[in-house]
Amino acid sequence: MVTTPSSTDAGPPATTTAFGATFVDHMAVAEFSGGAWGTPRLDPVAPLALHPAAHVLHYGSACFEGLKAHRGVDGIVRVFRLDRHVARMQRSAEVLVLPVPPTELLTQMVTDTVRAGLDQVPEPPGSLYLRPTLIGVDPNIGSAARPSDDALLYVLASPVGDYFAGGLRALVVAVSRQPRTTPQFGVVKTGANYAMALGVTRRANEELGADQVLFAPDGRVEETGASNFVLLDGERLVTPALTDAFLHGVTRDSLLRVAADLGYEVEERTVTLDDLVAWAARPDAEAALSGTAAALSPVGQLVLDGERIDVGTGQVGPHAVRLRDALREVQTAARPDPAGWLTDVRP
Ligand SMILES: *Cc1c(COP(=O)(O)O)cnc(C)c1O
């Protein structure tokens, strides 16, 4: 059951629902209190009872993950790269001085949530988007310089359709020389980072018609507000080498492997704005954004210092489409699992 009026319809939800606004009606929940994690339970999705002084509401003690379960071509539902997402959430919790959820606990909570929503996992290209969330709940506004002793962990699940339901569209991306966030939070999936990128992204949207902002502090390309960045052509996939200043995307990592398996040369290196402009000028050049929600989104145009620069033809390119399809084939078990990336969830 999905918590929308249309949820009485039989079968998987339509693939036209807005991304992230429809939820499976149960979520796994665990509390950390008195220095220990309690037993996880399955609760109905409902407003949380939080004290108005809760640490998260004042001092930003929150982190999350975003991962997906896909219905395979054989009908079996599988979570994609669960171990990597669990590890990243543990790292986020550590940086935010929140209680670190043990691997077994978080793994079980994700699979419990998927199991509770098994009949709500849409057919591909839809999927079940999973949102583990960890927040500090100490009711004490005197705790500005102290971590929260108590925390709440829950895993929301949202049936989602194809991110590009109206067809794949080449995005317009404005380039900023500002950093997206502070370097010490670069690898952390925490709300504060998105709040920081919001103003500049909205301005780019309103003033330049840009879909996203690509952050390139000191002229070195990092990522957009919620995606990693890749350059493509018929031979290569090039992406900025990992640093602590930007998020280590699981999609990015997966694409590197899938592209190599398809015969592309993969390069992780520094990408300067000069490199980017030179790349875009070539007729066969492509660029794309990578992330769990939208998989691989082609970029057709950059806006840099007021100038509009087409990437290659400015259209959706064949290599972004090919890699995007190949990744989906891995996720839906239509192509062999390269390295234990899929976790089955059985009834
Ligand atoms: C989530 C996210 C990504 C993409 O990570 P995936 O693991 O591929 O989903 C990239 N950058 C930022 C800032 C993100 O929040």
Side-chain angles (χ1 to χ4, degrees):
M1 290 288 283
V2 179
T3 54
T4 63
S6 62
S7 66
T8 48
D9 298 350
T15 52
T16 50
T17 45
F19 188 95
T22 303
F23 302 98
V24 168
D25 66 359
H26 279 77
M27 60 179 183
V29 178
E31 282 160 22
F32 185 89
S33 156
W37 286 98
T39 308
R41 56 179 196 267
L42 213 52
D43 277 359
V45 172
L48 299 172
L50 278 184
H51 194 283
H55 198 273
V56 61
L57 300 177
H58 302 266
Y59 306 123
S61 50
C63 61
F64 65 90
E65 263 308 314
L67 70 166
K68 279 179 172 174
H70 302 265
R71 187 175 295 283
V73 287
D74 53 4
I76 295 171
V77 172
R78 299 175 177 88
V79 182
F80 187 63
R81 304 203 70 178
L82 177 52
D83 56 341
R84 290 291 291 252
H85 288 279
V86 167
R88 192 168 67 190
M89 187 158 201
Q90 289 171 325
R91 189 171 179 189
S92 293
E94 222 171 275
V95 175
L96 291 163
V97 203
L98 277 161
V100 177
T103 302
E104 254 178 49
L105 174 76
L106 185 50
T107 302
Q108 188 197 329
M109 287 175 66
V110 170
T111 52
D112 283 354
T113 302
V114 174
R115 198 171 292 112
L118 215 47
D119 60 346
Q120 296 297 324
V121 182
E123 294 293 333
S127 58
L128 190 65
Y129 182 84
L130 299 156
R131 175 52 65 92
T133 309
L134 176 63
I135 57 175
V137 297
D138 278 13
N140 182 357
I141 51 173
S143 287
R146 265 177 40 78
S148 183
D149 289 329
D150 293 351
L152 182 69
L153 174 64
Y154 56 87
V155 182
L156 272 173
S158 175
V160 296
D162 191 349
Y163 207 83
F164 294 93
L168 210 53
R169 178 174 71 85
L171 302 177
V172 177
V173 169
V175 181
S176 167
R177 287 185 170 79
Q178 261 179 256
R180 166 183 174 254
T181 178
T182 64
Q184 63 267 42
F185 270 17
V187 297
V188 178
K189 262 182 125 68
T190 186
N193 285 346
Y194 305 87
M196 264 186 274
L198 211 52
V200 59
T201 305
R202 193 177 72 162
R203 272 195 303 282
N205 183 261
E206 287 176 354
E207 291 165 17
L208 305 170
D211 297 290
Q212 293 292 334
V213 173
L214 178 64
F215 295 93
D218 303 320
R220 274 196 280 273
V221 172
E222 290 183 341
E223 63 174 342
T224 69
S227 312
N228 292 119
F229 184 74
V230 300
L231 297 171
L232 300 166
D233 64 15
E235 275 135 48
R236 275 174 300 174
L237 182 154
V238 179
T239 192
L242 295 178
T243 70
D244 279 351
F246 71 92
L247 202 89
H248 300 185
V250 177
T251 313
R252 172 193 177 280
D253 183 79
S254 307
L255 284 168
L256 287 172
R257 173 65 189 266
V258 169
D261 287 353
L262 290 177
Y264 293 86
E265 250 176 75
V266 299
E267 278 178 39
E268 298 177 77
R269 60 169 166 88
T270 300
V271 177
T272 64
L273 287 179
D274 289 343
D275 295 338
L276 181 59
V277 170
W279 184 279
R282 296 173 24 229
D284 62 341
E286 296 182 36
L289 307 183
S290 93
T292 295
L296 195 59
S297 313
V299 174
Q301 192 176 69
L302 303 166
V303 189
L304 175 59
D305 300 328
E307 201 187 331
R308 292 189 181 263
I309 303 168
D310 277 350
V311 180
T313 63
Q315 307 299 312
V316 173
H319 299 287
V321 172
R322 183 170 176 219
L323 279 172
R324 184 184 159 84
D325 288 347
L327 181 64
R328 181 183 296 148
E329 285 164 15
V330 170
Q331 291 166 333
T332 56
R335 187 184 276 275
D337 182 348
W341 286 357
L342 303 173
T343 303
D344 291 15
V345 182
R346 310 266 181 172

